[in-house]
Amino acid sequence: MNPKAEALWHAYLQTLPDAAEATQRFYEVFHIGNTPNSADAGADLILRGIKTTTSSLLWEYDATNKPRPYEGALNIVEDGRGAPVCIVETVMVEIRPFSEIDAQFAYDYGEWDRTLATWYEVCWTYYSAEARALGREPSPDMPLVCERFRVVYP
């Protein structure tokens, strides 16, 4: 964790009655997308309460042995320059096949025009490339880790 993220985390902990409990739930520092511009846009959407869902390819967790996100996890969101902007709490985690993402999840993703059709189009391109990089064949059944979150600080 960089010093700015650590400062935000400590400021958040000072607002809590049980900082030790929150510390046990810390999961990761992350940003949205794969470019500085997409990270800036994602952080802005999260701060404004527009983006409340995200997803990732389950195969990536399996390939890297990274623990999966879980309900109650606390995460620091960064912008495209690596500056922390807020802390979010994961309130829902589900594994869903790519083809079973619904319109509400796509809308709550908050990106593009918020339609399911556009979500499928953009995310198919993104997750297909990720799958191939992992040596997997993309398919409508490829499993996604779907998360719902809320801003808890500031």
Side-chain angles (χ1 to χ4, degrees):
M1 186 180 316
N2 71 45
K4 289 181 182 179
E6 194 168 324
L8 179 73
W9 179 250
H10 286 295
Y12 169 64
L13 293 178
Q14 291 178 9
T15 69
L16 302 175
D18 189 354
E21 186 273 338
T23 299
Q24 292 175 347
R25 294 190 295 136
F26 179 76
Y27 181 68
E28 70 178 345
V29 177
F30 77 95
H31 61 270
I32 300 297
N34 55 3
T35 67
N37 286 344
S38 63
D40 284 344
D44 179 60
L45 291 170
I46 290 169
L47 278 173
R48 292 190 295 141
I50 295 169
K51 181 172 183 59
T52 59
T53 64
T54 194
S55 58
S56 50
L57 192 59
L58 177 62
W59 296 334
E60 186 176 341
Y61 294 94
D62 295 344
T64 61
N65 292 318
K66 180 181 176 182
R68 294 179 194 167
Y70 56 91
E71 292 178 16
L74 296 166
N75 306 281
I76 298 172
V77 178
E78 291 182 329
D79 66 14
R81 294 166 303 290
V85 297
C86 66
I87 296 172
V88 297
E89 178 183 21
T90 303
V91 297
M92 182 274 305
V93 179
E94 294 178 350
I95 308 295
R96 294 187 200 172
F98 180 87
S99 63
E100 291 184 20
I101 299 302
D102 59 40
Q104 187 64 56
F105 188 85
Y107 182 83
D108 294 342
Y109 221 75
E111 298 180 58
W112 317 296
D113 64 3
R114 302 180 83 177
T115 65
L116 185 57
T118 299
W119 187 94
Y120 275 131
E121 179 183 328
V122 174
C123 289
W124 177 260
T125 300
Y126 180 81
Y127 288 126
S128 291
E130 276 202 347
R132 286 186 185 100
L134 294 168
R136 304 291 296 256
E137 189 61 34
S139 76
D141 293 332
M142 61 187 161
L144 298 184
V145 178
C146 298
E147 297 178 65
R148 187 170 296 281
F149 55 83
R150 66 184 180 97
V151 175
V152 294
Y153 187 82

